[in-house]
Amino acid sequence: METTKGNFRKKLLVTSISSCLLASAFVQAQEEEMFEEVVVTGIRGSLETSLDMKRDASSFVDAITAEDIGKFPDKNVAESLARIPGITIDRDFGEGQGVTIRGVSPDQNITLLNGQAVGTSNWFVLSNATRNFNYEILASEMIGGVEVYKSAQADIDEGGLGGTVILRTRKPLDMDANTVHVSAEGQYSSNGENFDPTLSGMYSWKNDNETFGFLVSLSQQERSVHREGMEDFGWFGPSIDRIDPLMEGPALAGGGNDDKGAIPWGNGSVLFEQERERTGIDLTAQFAPSDNLDMTVHYLSSEMKADNVNSNLIGIGFRGVAYLGTDTDMGMTNDQNVIEELYVRGGENHEAASWSRFMAYDNIYRDGSEMSTEVIDFEGNFFNGPHTIHWQLGQTTGEGTNRDFFTEFWADPTDERTGLDFYNPGGTAPYIDFTTYNQWMINPGDEMWLGGIFDQVNMAEDQENYAQVDYDLEVDLGAVNTLSFGAKVRDRSFSQQRFQTNLSNLAPTGEGSLGAASDFWNGDLITVDHSATTNRGSQTYFMPDRELMYNALYAVDVCGVDDTSLCRNDSLIQNLASFDVEEDITALYAMATFEANGIRGNVGMRYVETEQQANGYNADGSAQDAYESDYSAWLPSLNVAYDLSEELVLRFAAGRALTRPAPFQLAPSFNLTPETGRGSSGNPDLKPLLADQYEMGIEWYFADASNASATAFKKDITNFIFNQVVSAEIEGVQYNQLQRPENGGASTIEGVEVQFTHSFDSGFGVLANYTYTDVSSAEVQSAVSIVDDEGTITGSTLETTYVQFPNASKNAYNLGAFFENDTLSARLNYSYRSEYFIAQTEIGNQMRDEQVQLDAQLSYYVTDNLTLKLEALNLTDEVVENYYVRATDGVRLGGTTLSNGQRVFIGASYKF
């Protein structure tokens, strides 16, 4: 792994910026096709500005502008983007994270800050490295506006298969001198009943000549996350060839066995608690010594501390009907061959072997986990008659630190004091009752043992250096009025290293473990409420003491050579999880802008070359592997707008888009969970995705802040990437659910977007949009395991299967209403997205059920300067729910259900 290249790049960047500052008088730059910033206030003013930007654009563009300084429409930028037709978001932790555009998943779209990439990372160890910007890290107060380009345009970075999101920050020379805005809020979360503060402020100054100015924006936000639910770990059943010989039906009360049936491998009563602390700094200095020269230095830093604890009491119901011959636990199978009840009891029928243990209790402490992003950018424009030259160079870095202190208690499967009650009414709502039978869980003794433990740190970095120059020439060549040319070079690196301290020769239960549960308990209890997720009650059980377990780990002696007793391995590098991906990208473009007889637009060509090197380790972690690849692509684009009248615009666009695979997908690396035999791996041989895309639409701007529009779109995709589930033995452990990305053939995405917005003179207004997205299933050749009568895998063969694109909801819509006058502003918004595909599993497709969210906002203008605010999110307390569709017969099987609860904000802002 490289250790000095980053320092060299930083020195090179500082030197380059200094040189440009000294030579700026001699440098000319192109002004990007940017929209003129308009200072607006209120909902109606924001809508009017956004719709004007949409109407005046040559491409298919949607826009969002702040209602006022420091007042973006939502607390999270992704939440605002979800109001745009064609865009849906994920809210796994209660706020927007990734952005799906026109059926294309978040890691295949790009987010740019002022036209440039943003380094990003994650705080969660199970989140693989992607190109997707994590919107959790960015405070919306720092953003002045957002543009979403849904059609290709030659002068915009390639990489967005579904679209490109451009975030715009404010500049001091565009604002009044001595502008001040401060805001203070408190946030209440219904889950956990926490109250957290948020503070933000901005100051902007410029001199009387308006030649120099600076802007400072600061934000500090705390948020307590309390997520609870019932988690599944994948389904097994007789429909899976390798599983069928291992199973028997549940035992019947009168003797004998019921039919074999599908059952989750395991389910967990899960509680996730996190203390988030997000700090943002945005600094901008702007210098315009003359009318034809403008230079800006911009620095942005955002950091999110993400200490958290994940508690998961896990019951492995599958082990009540597998590997045990005919002496299985009692239960019942329904007529769809799904187990609806199973009462697993410890005893002689459960051997004291690893495959027979059926109850575990995991607590993962992630103190010190955090993620950050940093941008330093130098931008300039020089105007000289018909010539405009624009330049931009800088560096962006995203860093993530994931700390996992993992602890796991196991129950002895032969102990008659332990058991679990599995219920699955209708086959679609799996739930485990742990506490009715195990009443000792509120006062544990030696029923469970600390038999799994490690202390791990995962460090990831995403860094890009870039330099760009653009040249515009105003011409008079018939309809063509501007010729644009540009070049951009960038080098980007993604790296990850993981270190772990663990124990060798640790027994899961009994004398060879670290001790009984009572040795690590000081009387604390936790309660997990399942009423919102499974319509069941709450479960209360012991919470072990972190410090006692931590001290027990580090009290064990360090391992010696060939040590066969319990011993500790300190800070071992996890080679299989460590990797480095380097990219050098060169792009050139030429574009002509035209306008005549009501027809306007642009036509261009972008050429891009990419050189990649992926470094990692082979499957046994013993040696480094390096994979090199390079490719180039021509990306044509055409955008045409025809002004049929002052109110009516007809649009057409055609172009080619390219998306590179995510860093982890390219890496020779693994992210494994040996406890469940699941994991994911990279594939350095992946090719980039290409899409030929077309759009046609009509827009009617029938009044101020009002429009009606319809757009049809189509994307013909080649080299699409899908996850293939394979079996593999890695470092002596068998993984039967290992997801590996592969390139498929061709697929098509087609859809329609419809939008209606109207602001009435009375102050009322309505907003509505609907998106229909049809993503065709793609035919691929997949490896299928061959198993013998004992369930042993003896080989594999190719089989034609069909795969779906993840994150693509067929139907999505937003309904909103607002009212606004001089003293009051109110908004109500309802969003809906239909179910969508997540991943392919052995039992069948894993899906995310339909999602709805109802939000409300209220502002009261005490004076022209002082505003009181109230906002409520997820008013109907919706939950996140996954399910499976069994491949053999289409039967629905229940999955993970999680509740994030409701959030309410109350606060005030002051400006002058």
Side-chain angles (χ1 to χ4, degrees):
M1 306 296 176
E2 294 188 359
T3 58
T4 61
K5 187 173 181 180
N7 290 332
F8 171 75
R9 286 174 176 163
K10 290 180 180 178
K11 292 178 181 177
L12 177 62
L13 178 64
V14 171
T15 303
S16 300
I17 291 178
S18 300
S19 300
C20 286
L21 285 169
L22 291 172
S24 60
F26 305 99
V27 178
Q28 299 182 358
Q30 171 200 27
E31 181 187 31
E32 286 184 314
E33 182 186 9
M34 296 174 60
F35 302 99
E36 180 184 358
E37 183 175 359
V38 179
V39 178
V40 296
T41 59
I43 299 173
R44 182 186 177 98
S46 172
L47 285 174
E48 187 171 341
T49 301
S50 298
L51 291 177
D52 285 346
M53 294 166 67
K54 178 182 178 71
R55 176 172 53 186
D56 296 340
S58 298
S59 306
F60 280 83
V61 177
D62 283 291
I64 306 169
T65 55
E67 296 172 21
D68 201 347
I69 298 169
K71 189 183 179 185
F72 209 68
D74 293 275
K75 293 292 180 290
N76 177 292
V77 176
E79 300 284 350
S80 294
L81 287 168
R83 320 282 192 230
I84 291 177
I87 293 183
T88 53
I89 64 172
D90 299 320
R91 298 184 179 94
D92 286 354
F93 290 93
E95 65 176 313
Q97 294 166 277
V99 173
T100 297
I101 304 177
R102 289 182 170 177
V104 178
S105 59
D107 60 346
Q108 294 169 359
N109 302 308
I110 61 171
T111 296
L112 306 176
L113 180 68
N114 297 322
Q116 304 299 331
V118 186
T120 190
S121 59
N122 286 285
W123 54 265
F124 188 41
V125 70
L126 296 181
S127 297
N128 295 325
T130 72
R131 300 177 192 275
N132 170 39
F133 179 71
N134 191 334
Y135 285 88
E136 290 176 310
I137 198 172
L138 187 65
S140 63
E141 291 88 351
M142 294 183 173
I143 302 301
V146 179
E147 299 145 24
V148 181
Y149 282 77
K150 298 178 181 177
S151 60
Q153 189 166 299
D155 60 344
I156 295 177
D157 280 3
E158 75 288 341
L161 195 70
T164 300
V165 179
I166 302 180
L167 310 176
R168 302 287 186 190
T169 56
R170 299 180 183 274
K171 291 186 176 182
L173 296 186
D174 297 330
M175 305 180 67
D176 293 335
N178 296 312
T179 297
V180 175
H181 179 273
V182 292
S183 175
E185 289 184 337
Q187 175 186 176
Y188 173 79
S189 300
S190 62
N191 283 11
E193 299 182 348
N194 300 300
F195 195 82
D196 302 303
T198 298
L199 298 171
S200 66
M202 189 201 71
Y203 174 70
S204 181
W205 174 89
K206 62 183 176 182
N207 62 9
D208 293 338
N209 295 327
E210 299 190 359
T211 58
F212 178 74
F214 66 85
L215 181 150
V216 179
S217 179
L218 305 172
S219 69
Q220 176 77 29
Q221 182 191 74
E222 296 180 12
R223 182 192 168 200
S224 299
V225 179
H226 185 103
R227 189 179 77 170
E228 51 200 351
M230 184 63 65
E231 184 176 8
D232 85 273
F233 294 91
W235 278 71
F236 284 163
S239 61
I240 303 173
D241 290 341
R242 73 174 183 87
I243 295 296
D244 186 36
L246 310 177
M247 295 187 69
E248 295 292 340
L252 296 172
N257 290 77
D258 205 345
D259 293 331
K260 295 181 181 182
I263 188 171
W265 179 87
N267 297 91
S269 173
V270 61
L271 173 62
F272 175 87
E273 294 183 293
Q274 183 178 54
E275 295 298 325
R276 296 185 175 186
E277 184 178 332
R278 185 170 64 192
T279 303
I281 302 173
D282 188 77
L283 306 174
T284 303
Q286 190 176 9
F287 181 46
S290 65
D291 291 339
N292 60 351
L293 180 62
D294 174 25
M295 295 177 291
T296 303
V297 176
H298 177 230
Y299 173 79
L300 180 139
S301 173
S302 187
E303 178 186 59
M304 190 175 86
K305 297 179 179 179
D307 294 354
N308 64 90
V309 180
N310 192 76
S311 301
N312 203 345
L313 182 56
I314 301 169
I316 308 173
F318 175 69
R319 291 178 176 172
V321 292
Y323 302 97
L324 302 176
T326 57
D327 193 13
T328 58
D329 289 292
M330 293 186 62
M332 181 187 72
T333 304
N334 66 20
D335 57 6
Q336 292 183 316
N337 295 109
V338 179
I339 295 176
E340 288 199 1
E341 294 180 14
L342 186 68
Y343 304 95
V344 183
R345 299 291 183 263
E348 294 181 357
N349 64 322
H350 285 271
E351 298 183 23
S354 62
W355 48 258
S356 188
R357 297 194 304 270
F358 59 80
M359 193 164 72
Y361 182 24
D362 294 354
N363 284 278
I364 308 173
Y365 304 86
R366 301 189 179 100
D367 299 339
S369 294
E370 61 183 5
M371 64 178 180
S372 64
T373 188
E374 186 178 61
V375 175
I376 176 74
D377 178 84
F378 174 52
E379 181 179 14
N381 297 283
F382 184 78
F383 314 96
N384 183 12
H387 308 281
T388 301
I389 296 182
H390 165 265
W391 71 91
Q392 201 166 358
L393 69 160
Q395 182 185 79
T396 178
T397 305
E399 295 180 341
T401 300
N402 322 120
R403 298 187 180 275
D404 274 23
F405 174 48
F406 173 87
T407 65
E408 186 168 59
F409 289 87
W410 281 102
D412 185 340
T414 65
D415 190 337
E416 295 181 355
R417 296 174 297 173
T418 63
L420 59 87
D421 300 334
F422 170 82
Y423 300 100
N424 186 22
T428 60
Y431 170 82
I432 291 181
D433 179 353
F434 292 95
T435 55
T436 298
Y437 188 82
N438 304 297
Q439 296 190 17
W440 52 265
M441 293 202 72
I442 59 173
N443 187 19
D446 61 354
E447 299 87 355
M448 297 193 93
W449 304 81
L450 183 54
I453 193 168
F454 62 76
D455 191 15
Q456 176 176 275
V457 59
N458 188 88
M459 295 173 291
E461 182 183 77
D462 167 19
Q463 186 176 91
E464 177 172 305
N465 301 293
Y466 57 86
Q468 172 180 335
V469 61
D470 307 279
Y471 171 66
D472 281 357
L473 175 64
E474 295 180 6
V475 296
D476 186 8
L477 299 174
V480 177
N481 53 45
T482 305
L483 297 176
S484 302
F485 306 92
K488 184 172 185 177
V489 293
R490 45 192 161 136
D491 62 82
R492 192 162 191 173
S493 63
F494 307 88
S495 62
Q496 176 174 289
Q497 283 191 313
R498 186 175 297 175
F499 298 89
Q500 187 180 101
T501 294
N502 55 35
L503 299 182
S504 293
N505 310 309
L506 175 67
T509 60
E511 188 173 333
S513 70
L514 284 179
S518 57
D519 296 336
F520 304 98
W521 184 55
N522 62 12
D524 289 342
L525 299 173
I526 65 169
T527 298
V528 182
D529 187 0
H530 296 286
S531 59
T533 54
T534 60
N535 293 319
R536 302 278 181 166
S538 61
Q539 302 196 65
T540 300
Y541 36 88
F542 73 96
M543 184 67 185
D545 186 289
R546 179 195 185 281
E547 294 306 313
L548 291 175
M549 295 185 291
Y550 188 86
N551 292 337
L553 168 64
Y554 285 97
V556 175
D557 292 336
V558 175
C559 291
V561 178
D562 299 325
D563 204 330
T564 58
S565 61
L566 180 64
C567 60
R568 188 178 81 247
N569 306 292
D570 279 341
S571 300
L572 297 178
I573 186 170
Q574 304 297 293
N575 287 334
L576 292 181
S578 301
F579 66 88
D580 183 275
V581 176
E582 302 280 344
E583 291 180 341
D584 290 312
I585 302 169
T586 302
L588 305 170
Y589 77 86
M591 187 176 74
T593 303
F594 55 86
E595 183 172 5
N597 301 320
I599 299 176
R600 52 190 168 86
N602 57 70
V603 58
M605 178 70 74
R606 189 176 185 89
Y607 173 75
V608 59
E609 290 183 348
T610 304
E611 296 180 1
Q612 288 175 335
Q613 178 170 315
N615 305 304
Y617 290 83
N618 57 18
D620 61 11
S622 62
Q624 272 198 306
D625 287 335
Y627 299 82
E628 295 184 356
S629 64
D630 60 83
Y631 52 87
S632 60
W634 294 92
L635 306 175
S637 61
L638 171 66
N639 293 279
V640 180
Y642 180 25
D643 295 318
L644 298 173
S645 67
E646 291 185 2
E647 295 83 20
L648 202 60
V649 181
L650 181 67
R651 295 188 187 274
F652 172 79
R656 173 169 291 182
L658 175 146
T659 295
R660 299 174 181 87
F664 182 80
Q665 291 178 324
L666 288 169
S669 180
F670 299 85
N671 204 351
L672 305 171
T673 308
E675 297 84 5
T676 61
R678 302 162 73 184
S680 55
S681 72
N683 179 1
D685 296 323
L686 287 177
K687 300 175 183 177
L689 293 80
L690 291 171
D692 292 328
Q693 51 191 34
Y694 313 91
E695 291 92 8
M696 178 171 283
I698 189 165
E699 300 162 6
W700 179 31
Y701 300 90
F702 55 88
D704 291 340
S706 303
N707 88 320
S709 64
T711 302
F713 57 89
K714 180 179 181 180
K715 298 177 185 290
D716 293 324
I717 301 172
T718 56
N719 296 334
F720 71 91
I721 295 175
F722 70 100
N723 283 327
Q724 182 168 290
V725 179
V726 299
S727 298
E729 183 177 311
I730 303 171
E731 292 188 322
V733 178
Q734 181 66 35
Y735 293 87
N736 291 314
Q737 298 187 76
L738 183 67
Q739 293 192 3
R740 172 183 166 91
E742 302 282 354
N743 282 117
S747 184
T748 300
I749 299 177
E750 297 178 320
V752 176
E753 299 170 353
V754 179
Q755 180 181 19
F756 178 81
T757 304
H758 185 47
S759 298
F760 299 93
D761 293 337
S762 61
F764 286 95
V766 294
L767 307 93
N769 62 65
Y770 167 76
T771 303
Y772 172 80
T773 307
D774 183 19
V775 182
S776 64
S777 296
E779 182 179 301
V780 298
Q781 296 292 313
S782 298
V784 178
S785 299
I786 299 174
V787 297
D788 59 21
D789 293 339
E790 307 297 324
T792 303
I793 299 173
T794 60
S796 63
T797 185
L798 289 178
E799 182 178 280
T800 299
T801 59
Y802 293 87
V803 298
Q804 299 182 39
F805 274 77
N807 293 84
S809 293
K810 179 164 286 189
N811 298 288
Y813 61 84
N814 287 281
L815 300 173
F818 66 87
F819 173 77
E820 185 176 48
N821 60 22
D822 292 339
T823 59
L824 187 68
S825 172
R827 183 204 301 262
L828 190 68
N829 193 88
Y830 177 86
S831 62
Y832 167 88
R833 67 178 299 188
S834 60
E835 67 275 3
Y836 59 87
F837 172 78
I838 298 176
Q840 193 178 44
T841 72
E842 286 188 290
I843 198 78
N845 289 338
Q846 184 186 29
M847 308 290 292
R848 172 68 53 87
D849 204 1
E850 63 182 12
Q851 295 177 275
V852 301
Q853 180 145 327
L854 179 64
D855 302 329
Q857 298 172 342
L858 179 66
S859 297
Y860 175 67
Y861 307 118
V862 180
T863 68
D864 290 341
N865 305 101
L866 178 63
T867 302
L868 303 180
K869 301 176 290 185
L870 176 67
E871 182 174 355
L873 305 180
N874 192 23
L875 282 168
T876 54
D877 201 10
E878 299 295 329
V879 302
V880 176
E881 181 176 359
N882 296 342
Y883 66 93
Y884 300 82
V885 179
R886 190 161 58 188
T888 53
D889 55 10
V891 168
R892 175 168 171 154
L893 307 170
T896 295
T897 53
L898 300 170
S899 169
N900 287 294
Q902 302 152 308
R903 290 190 291 154
V904 178
F905 299 81
I906 185 169
S909 63
Y910 189 80
K911 65 174 182 178
F912 60 88

